Amino acid sequence: MPVTVGGVSHTYLEKTPFEARALVDVSLEVADGEFVGIIGPTGSGKSTLIQIIDGLIRPTAGRVVVDGLDLSVKANLREVRRRVGLIFQYPEHQLFEETVTADVAFGPKNLGLPEGEVAERVREALRLVGLDPDRIGPRSPFALSGGQMRRAAIAGVLAMRPRLLILDEPAAGLDPRGREEILGYVRRLHKDLRQTVVLVSHHMEDVARLADRVVVMHRGKVVMDGPTAEVFTAGDRLRELGLRVPAVTELMLRLKERGWPLATDALTIEEAARRIIAAARAGAGRSGPAGGAPDERPGESPTGGGHR
Amino acid sequence: MSRGLTVGQYLPGESVIHRLDPRTKIAIVSVYVLALFIINNPWGYVAAVVFAVVALALSAVPLRYMLDGIKPILVLILLTLTLNVFMTPGTPIWRFGRVVATREGLITGGFLAFRLILLIAVTSLLTLTTSPVALTDGLERLLKPFARLGLPAHELAMMMTIALRFIPTLLEEAEKIMKAQMARGTDFESGNLVRRTKALIPLLVPLFISSFRRADELAMAMEARGYHGGAGRTRFRQLRVGPADYVAGAVTAVFVAGLVYLRFR
Amino acid sequence: MAALISTEGLGHLYNQGQPNEVAALVDVDVAIEGGEFIAVVGPNGSGKSTLAKHFNALLLPTSGRVLVGGIDTRDQARMWEVRRMAGMVFQNPDNQIVATTVEEDVAFGPENLGVPPADIGTRIEQALRWVGMLEHRRHAPHLLSGGQKQRVAIAGVLAMKPRCLILDEATAMLDPVGRDEVMATVKWLNREEGLTVVHITHFMDEAAEADRVLVMDRGQVRFAGAPREVFSRPTELRQIGLDLPAMAELADRLRRAGLEVPAGVTSVEEMVDLLCR
């Protein structure tokens, strides 16, 4: 679902002593089927931007068109909110129904869908996040574990079958396994169902692993926008903006500085390992393979050495 | 966005009034408010106005802040005035069909409205010049003597402090949940009263749940920091009665004595 | 010398004697020396937080015992001494600040201890200076960033002059800047002031900065050791449901491919040096 944000600015509490400029002339496009990561320090305007795309905040200037619907037309707001699924931080804090099923059904019911369809969507949405509709559905959402609650809340948005899914820090506060699970489901939504996704996160490693494209925000402006590998390999620029470079990228950049003939655009540990091994075998470092049976051969990997 | 929101209407400053002990200020305002009700002639009102104007001038609070405090009760004031003007029997001064305005009514109504205005003006001067922290502190200490009679002075003050501390947090949270439910298609703005009330459930239930969670966590955090009620507790902020407090007290005493004289001479 | 905090056969059952009884801790023996920086990692429900809450008598053992500075935490009469010695900072920055200004909040602990007012002022100043929040002393807490709020919470504990600071997932809700702030503050306090730190966390890169890491799983300490040792056991960590710091993960892959990289490397610098040797 195409989203066009054109020259959008937003100022909170305009014309009061508390006036705060959150967005300044932001332009951005999201194409159908894309996975866009948005990164930037706290207060850089990420949260305001996604709320504007969902029609929850009306910008003080500029134009936003979501799926052909102009958001400056008030009558379009409801429809936009139906088509965009926005998942806030700690979404489990919005659970309120007595059962998981009822809570997940809340969104589709608001869409005015017939009961049969609602029930079907609830089951589908729960399965998409790995919750068994028959086992977990009838339980109280408040009796679930932290990770399950989070997934139930996400199912509540998925059940609306949004054409664009926006997630704000979906793995915040979870333990490593919970984190992997959530991100795994998000990745599958994108890969298997061609779900358009916008992921807002402070976690560079996650964005690097998942997104096709990364938008960097700083003080209310979009300061970088490009393919993931390109953005993350601009190490100095990111640091300048107060952002961290993923450890893997950092390593590749340093190795390159020290004369290793490596492509620095590795985004995952797997990719980095593959490249370092290949380079080491080609005799870059003196610490070549010390015999033994290597588990990983460069030729074996599906993505080879190229960038995805 | 509720970041700019402040609880109460405290206007930080360094004036004499700001620096008075909160207990002095609370006591003076209480006495003043009571004294307003013994006034029964114009001279009394003149004295009361002078007292308020002097206090305002000393506080260096801009007049409009005080007027802002009066605005919300303007309707009440007008209502009081109107009711009195038309409901008090006496010499008619204006007639509209069966409705009669009387001279006596105008006078009583006018005085009553005046009283209300002064009451609000002086109490808002108290909250404008005293930080919520100082205010709770002052109240706690003024109420302390009543603790022996079973009044939970410390607990009340602690509750007030926590309420003041959490109001902004809860407002922020309410806004967040509201937006999250709007993103799920809730419409808080349209429909009849029943629909709108029903639409509040997805907001209120999570808000209650989170408040309970907060209360639970806060209780544990307080316990971890050694909180065990008011007994044996010291206070960092010491309230000290200084010369200015004595002067203020003396001035108030003279003022009240004057009002009493005017009333019963 | 006796350890600052030690547990002996510590067990904790939630809802003891009821049908929904849960064993949160099973026969845990740990000893924490004064001045140590310990990280406790483990998946949700592994008992990390339960363990931490025993260190300052918020929870009492259902079997075994906990000694803090030589005091048995079950000793009701000395419970407040235990709480003073082992201060705790919790996960949600919003739910542990009591007062409406920063300094009033820092004063809360000392006030509870009955410290004379004049001393409270000095303590507030020192505590806020240590965490770098002195210039915010008169601010309202709700206007601070997450990292700043947690530093205020730390100051609130420091003002009680504790011997040990326990962070119960205190960085979990923070952004990277806030996490760095808190970690830098805590490491400084540990190094310069000799404060004992127990840091419970889900972030392995934070655990990598500790002197010692305790790995918990299902109510027990599975293994413990210096970060390098702990992170050179990738298979066991993964089995428990934990991940590795990125560099340790990479080191593991490189080793499996036959490269000469020691296991348990946690920093990028070290990895670069190793590869460029």
Side-chain angles (χ1 to χ4, degrees):
Chain A
M1 171 168 76
V3 174
T4 310
V5 175
V8 161
S9 297
H10 188 71
T11 307
Y12 286 105
L13 301 164
E14 212 176 14
K15 295 182 186 100
T16 74
F18 306 110
E19 193 172 278
R21 298 216 299 176
L23 291 180
V24 184
D25 195 20
V26 167
S27 295
L28 182 75
E29 304 249 348
V30 179
D32 237 340
E34 251 192 312
F35 194 133
V36 178
I38 302 183
I39 60 175
T42 303
S44 57
K46 307 184 299 287
S47 161
T48 307
L49 177 63
I50 57 175
Q51 291 183 52
I52 284 177
I53 295 176
D54 197 20
L56 291 170
I57 294 178
R58 310 197 73 190
T60 39
R63 223 169 95 92
V64 184
V65 180
V66 173
D67 218 7
L69 297 166
D70 189 331
L71 277 170
S72 60
V73 181
K74 209 171 173 189
N76 285 341
L77 291 181
R78 258 186 87 101
E79 189 51 38
V80 166
R81 282 184 208 146
R82 294 164 161 236
R83 296 193 201 178
V84 178
L86 175 53
I87 299 173
F88 283 93
Q89 271 185 50
Y90 300 98
E92 60 274 23
H93 291 176
Q94 53 181 271
L95 296 168
F96 70 99
E97 283 281 10
E98 281 171 50
T99 66
V100 172
T101 304
D103 210 288
V104 176
F106 179 68
K109 271 192 187 155
N110 283 332
L111 297 179
L113 297 171
E115 249 174 68
E117 163 109 40
V118 171
E120 188 192 311
R121 284 191 178 200
V122 169
R123 298 180 69 82
E124 175 201 82
L126 283 172
R127 283 201 200 98
L128 282 175
V129 294
L131 297 175
D132 181 349
D134 297 311
R135 214 170 52 82
I136 303 287
R139 292 173 62 182
S140 159
F142 306 106
L144 304 179
S145 76
Q148 288 175 325
M149 264 168 96
R150 175 82 47 97
R151 283 185 276 148
I154 293 176
V157 172
L158 293 179
M160 298 175 76
R161 288 198 190 142
R163 299 201 45 205
L164 167 66
L165 184 65
I166 307 178
L167 300 119
D168 187 358
E169 211 69 76
L174 297 178
D175 68 351
R177 185 171 283 167
R179 184 170 198 96
E180 278 312 304
E181 275 172 3
I182 293 274
L183 296 174
Y185 291 115
V186 173
R187 186 212 297 273
R188 253 164 272 160
L189 283 171
H190 174 66
K191 285 258 184 302
D192 303 346
L193 303 174
R194 307 276 312 135
Q195 173 77 56
T196 314
V197 179
V198 170
L199 171 71
V200 175
S201 181
H202 282 299
H203 218 272
M204 299 300 155
E205 273 81 6
D206 294 346
V207 174
R209 275 191 303 159
L210 296 167
D212 307 324
R213 189 180 129 210
V214 173
V215 172
V216 185
M217 297 197 63
H218 186 69
R219 297 209 180 130
K221 290 184 185 154
V222 170
V223 286
M224 290 168 87
D225 182 348
T228 308
E230 205 173 278
V231 169
F232 282 120
T233 42
D236 292 334
R237 179 89 178 100
L238 288 177
R239 274 185 287 261
E240 235 173 70
L241 296 168
L243 294 169
R244 246 189 249 193
V245 180
V248 167
T249 319
E250 177 86 47
L251 176 73
M252 300 306 265
L253 290 170
R254 296 265 192 99
L255 286 176
K256 178 123 189 170
E257 261 170 41
R258 303 275 285 256
W260 279 54
L262 283 168
T264 52
D265 56 357
L267 294 168
T268 61
I269 294 170
E270 293 89 326
E271 267 178 288
R274 221 174 282 130
R275 287 193 201 172
I276 292 170
I277 293 162
R281 287 197 178 134
R286 250 156 288 156
S287 57
D295 285 346
E296 239 165 319
R297 281 175 290 268
E300 233 175 34
S301 64
T303 42
H307 115 267
R308 41 187 185 147
Chain B
M1 207 160 111
S2 41
R3 273 188 86 80
L5 185 129
T6 50
V7 182
Q9 35 172 359
Y10 177 52
L11 204 66
E14 285 295 320
S15 76
V16 194
I17 305 284
H18 280 88
R19 277 179 284 136
L20 281 181
D21 188 305
R23 288 169 298 183
T24 312
K25 283 189 271 188
I26 296 170
I28 290 179
V29 168
S30 316
V31 168
Y32 182 88
V33 167
L34 290 175
L36 281 177
F37 290 89
I38 62 166
I39 297 175
N40 70 342
N41 66 53
W43 289 111
Y45 283 103
V46 170
V49 170
V50 168
F51 187 92
V53 168
V54 169
L56 179 68
L58 286 175
S59 73
V61 170
L63 180 65
R64 77 191 152 84
Y65 281 92
M66 207 194 234
L67 296 179
D68 276 347
I70 297 170
K71 230 183 263 164
I73 59 139
L74 211 57
V75 180
L76 186 69
I77 292 171
L78 286 174
L79 195 72
T80 315
L81 184 63
T82 328
L83 281 176
N84 272 289
V85 168
F86 293 106
M87 305 298 262
T88 317
T91 331
I93 46 170
W94 185 75
R95 216 180 260 282
F96 183 82
R98 293 174 56 196
V99 185
V100 182
T102 64
R103 208 172 86 90
E104 286 77 2
L106 189 63
I107 292 169
T108 5
F111 280 161
L112 209 60
F114 214 68
R115 220 178 250 170
L116 273 174
I117 291 172
L118 284 172
L119 190 152
I120 298 301
V122 171
T123 29
S124 40
L125 193 59
L126 171 68
T127 53
L128 280 165
T129 59
T130 319
S131 74
V133 177
L135 212 54
T136 14
D137 254 17
L139 266 178
E140 177 178 0
R141 270 164 249 217
L142 278 176
L143 294 178
K144 213 168 195 170
F146 300 99
R148 247 177 298 160
L149 305 174
L151 187 81
H154 165 74
E155 286 73 10
L156 280 173
M158 187 50 95
M159 276 164 59
M160 251 174 90
T161 306
I162 291 173
L164 284 169
R165 154 73 188 81
F166 276 91
I167 287 168
T169 306
L170 289 179
L171 283 175
E172 243 170 69
E173 168 124 56
E175 192 184 304
K176 243 183 63 192
I177 297 171
M178 200 155 150
K179 279 188 174 156
Q181 305 297 25
M182 275 163 80
R184 288 168 84 190
T186 314
D187 190 350
F188 289 104
E189 281 140 11
S190 59
N192 57 26
L193 196 65
V194 179
R195 268 190 71 140
R196 278 196 202 199
T197 317
K198 254 186 94 178
L200 285 178
I201 295 172
L203 168 65
L204 294 180
V205 173
L207 201 57
F208 273 121
I209 291 171
S210 96
S211 305
F212 283 127
R213 192 184 50 237
R214 281 185 200 284
D216 219 36
E217 289 184 24
L218 183 71
M220 179 167 290
M222 285 169 73
E223 214 187 304
R225 285 164 75 183
Y227 182 69
H228 51 284
R233 226 172 161 256
T234 47
R235 294 309 307 271
F236 157 56
R237 188 184 290 268
Q238 291 300 299
L239 299 181
R240 251 180 223 101
V241 176
D245 293 289
Y246 290 115
V247 173
V251 170
T252 312
V254 170
F255 164 71
V256 173
L259 290 187
V260 172
Y261 171 75
L262 285 171
R263 163 102 197 218
F264 300 106
R265 70 186 155 161
Chain C
M1 199 194 100
L4 176 60
I5 297 177
S6 60
T7 69
E8 293 162 14
L10 167 64
H12 191 88
L13 299 170
Y14 283 116
N15 309 316
Q16 197 174 13
Q18 287 164 35
N20 55 346
E21 185 179 275
V22 185
L25 292 176
V26 183
D27 199 19
V28 174
D29 292 302
V30 294
I32 295 168
E33 303 294 332
E36 260 194 302
F37 188 148
I38 299 235
V40 183
V41 299
N44 280 342
S46 59
K48 315 183 289 297
S49 274
T50 307
L51 179 65
K53 290 189 177 91
H54 279 86
F55 293 166
N56 76 341
L58 279 176
L59 288 176
L60 297 175
T62 50
S63 59
R65 62 174 190 160
V66 179
L67 296 175
V68 178
I71 304 172
D72 190 320
T73 57
R74 289 169 304 182
D75 185 348
Q76 282 289 323
R78 303 183 72 185
M79 183 172 72
W80 303 111
E81 260 179 90
V82 171
R83 299 236 166 113
R84 189 196 65 75
M85 260 193 286
M88 198 148 175
V89 175
F90 298 87
Q91 185 179 43
N92 191 331
D94 279 322
N95 298 353
Q96 53 189 316
I97 294 181
V98 186
T100 45
T101 67
V102 167
E103 62 176 5
E104 290 276 334
D105 189 71
V106 176
F108 183 73
E111 286 177 340
N112 292 332
L113 296 175
V115 174
D119 296 349
I120 298 180
T122 342
R123 285 185 181 207
I124 292 174
E125 220 178 292
Q126 189 180 44
L128 284 174
R129 185 170 294 128
W130 273 340
V131 302
M133 289 293 293
L134 193 58
E135 70 273 33
H136 293 87
R137 62 187 298 171
R138 294 194 209 287
H139 287 206
H142 70 103
L143 298 178
L144 303 176
S145 73
Q148 289 176 324
K149 285 180 200 164
Q150 289 300 61
R151 284 190 284 152
V152 170
I154 292 172
V157 168
L158 294 178
M160 297 172 76
K161 302 207 169 157
R163 294 177 59 190
C164 177
L165 177 65
I166 302 162
L167 305 167
D168 188 2
E169 290 189 39
T171 54
M173 295 181 75
L174 304 181
D175 65 7
V177 177
R179 280 175 52 198
D180 286 349
E181 281 172 23
V182 169
M183 282 306 284
T185 305
V186 170
K187 277 168 67 183
W188 184 88
L189 287 166
N190 174 255
R191 207 178 48 235
E192 302 297 322
E193 299 298 326
L195 189 70
T196 312
V197 175
V198 178
H199 180 40
I200 293 161
T201 184
H202 284 314
F203 296 106
M204 298 303 142
D205 50 339
E206 289 177 3
E209 298 187 37
D211 300 330
R212 199 148 66 93
V213 182
L214 299 185
V215 181
M216 293 201 63
D217 182 35
R218 279 173 282 170
Q220 287 177 308
V221 176
R222 275 302 177 84
F223 48 99
R228 181 178 300 279
E229 292 161 39
V230 167
F231 292 124
S232 51
R233 300 165 84 163
T235 325
E236 283 159 280
L237 287 171
R238 282 191 206 109
Q239 248 165 25
I240 293 173
L242 295 174
D243 55 4
L244 293 165
M247 287 304 115
E249 175 85 43
L250 183 68
D252 180 42
R253 282 173 191 268
L254 296 180
R255 278 165 67 84
R256 280 194 276 140
L259 259 59
E260 278 172 20
V261 177
V265 178
T266 53
S267 80
V268 173
E269 289 75 17
E270 203 183 346
M271 184 61 94
V272 172
D273 289 341
L274 282 168
L275 289 172
C276 295
R277 235 177 0 204

